[in-house]
Structures are given as structure tokens and as C-alpha cells.
Amino acid sequence: MSERNHPAQPPSGVGLDGLRAAAAGCKACELWEPATQTVFGEGPESARVVFVGEQPGDQEDRKGEPFVGPAGRLLDKALVDAHIDRRDVYITNAVKHFRFTPTPKRRIHQTPGPEHLRACRPWLEAECEVLTPEVVVCLGATAAKALISPSFRITKDRGQLIPWTPPGVAAVAGDEADEDEDAPHQTWMLATTHPSAVLRTPDESRAAAYDALVADLKVVAGALA
């Protein structure tokens, strides 16, 4: 990482509101400079499932909220169809600033690099440490590669529940978790396609792509049941 890119250093013990306030001034990577603002996660501290996207888009950057554009509206519809209560959901991104290439007419989305994911990861870990979710859902390849493995392939391994140990939670041996009521509950990770990828799918295939997203989210609903 260059001198301009270093892991963020979130404060501890401040809750989501404190993290959000601290992230507003984050300069851990160079993306803060051209972006309008930090776009932190949104949702209740009681959320049972955390959705992690790639980064804020143009509308999110302007409004300061995640998933408020077309992809967010499609995700909201998919949550309803999968029978996941929106009140149980916290939505955030692996990178909190919009990376883009400016043009005379519009700002063109540019995929964040590994250095941006590394710089921003402490914020994501801090969010998960506060939330202690039951399921973390990676929306798209960037989030999956950041949280699961750089070699993860959505097309091959989507829709599968993977055991995951959140940051700050010590791993518990299998049988001990069943015997100790105070032991941390099992957290699951699942990856699926990003809603924006569904929107980019050709018209003749879009319905099938949407149905596949809903099918993956129904797996999440089953884990929450």
C-alpha cells in the first residue's frame, strides 16, 4: 500500500452512531478526496443479517446513504419476495467511498482495488463487531473476494452457507458451542450476485437472474428461521 493508503483505525466501544461519525472524516485511502462524502452502513443495531455490497454508486455518494438507487430498489423487492423482514437488515459496502472516473457528462463507476478494500476493511469489521449478525451476505464478487477469498467465484459457489467467525469473536470448538448457552452463535456467510448485475442482465434473461437472487436470499431466510 502506498503512503496514501493505510488501514482505517475505527474507534472502539462507540456503537454504530459513533463509527458513522468517525468514518465521516476517514482519509485512509485517496478515494475520500474526489468523493462527495463517506457512505456508511444503514440499519438497526439489532439487525440479524448484514448485506455487504461493493461500494456506493453515484446516487449513494450524493445522498450519503447506501443502496438508494435502482439496485437498492431491486434489493428491497427481492427481500420482500424472499420473506426477509427489512427491519432485520443492515446494509453497507466493502468500500465506503465512491470510486469513479469523471467524464463531462457523468461519473463512471470504477471497481475499487485491493488497496481500497484493505484500507476500508476495519470499518466493515467494526460494523460486524457491533452487530454480531447471524448471516452476512456478500453482494457481488468484490465483497465476496474481500470477505471470503480472493479466489471466490460467484458463479460457482453462490447461495451456499459458509461458517464464518466475526472479528472480535473467538472461534468456538464445535461441541462446546452446543453445550455452552453463553457461547457465541454460529455466524454464516453467503455470497450472491449484486442487484446491479441483475439490472445489467439482458432483457430476455433478467427474470431468471432475479429469480436466482431471490432463491439465494431464501437460503438466508431459512438460516434466520
Side-chain angles (χ1 to χ4, degrees), residues 130-193:
V130 170
L131 293 161
T132 60
E134 295 171 47
V135 185
V136 177
V137 181
C138 299
L139 296 171
T142 299
K145 289 178 179 179
L147 285 174
I148 301 174
S149 166
S151 61
F152 191 90
R153 296 291 179 268
I154 293 288
T155 52
K156 180 182 177 184
D157 298 313
R158 64 179 294 174
Q160 299 181 29
L161 290 170
I162 305 168
W164 184 65
T165 301
V169 177
V172 179
D175 293 339
E176 293 179 13
D178 296 330
E179 297 172 1
D180 185 357
E181 292 183 358
D182 295 327
H185 60 72
Q186 176 63 64
T187 301
W188 298 99
M189 180 84 72
L190 178 143
T192 186
T193 188

Side-chain angles (χ1 to χ4, degrees), residues 71-155:
R73 291 191 290 273
L74 186 138
L75 178 60
D76 285 342
K77 182 177 184 298
L79 289 173
V80 172
D81 289 342
H83 306 294
I84 295 176
D85 192 330
R86 189 65 175 78
R87 292 171 296 183
D88 287 333
V89 170
Y90 182 89
I91 297 182
T92 190
N93 284 295
V95 172
K96 309 298 197 235
H97 284 112
F98 180 34
R99 188 186 192 198
F100 61 90
T101 300
T103 70
K105 290 188 176 181
R106 63 190 182 95
R107 302 185 297 177
I108 299 175
H109 165 277
Q110 188 178 0
T111 302
E115 70 275 19
H116 305 122
L117 293 168
R118 287 194 295 269
C120 216
R121 185 181 174 95
W123 292 116
L124 185 57
E125 292 182 343
E127 288 172 292
C128 288
E129 191 169 349
V130 170
L131 293 161
T132 60
E134 295 171 47
V135 185
V136 177
V137 181
C138 299
L139 296 171
T142 299
K145 289 178 179 179
L147 285 174
I148 301 174
S149 166
S151 61
F152 191 90
R153 296 291 179 268
I154 293 288
T155 52

Side-chain angles (χ1 to χ4, degrees), residues 74 195-212:
L74 186 138
S196 63
V198 176
L199 294 174
R200 292 194 302 269
T201 302
D203 292 347
E204 64 273 15
S205 305
R206 191 171 301 149
Y210 175 77
D211 289 345

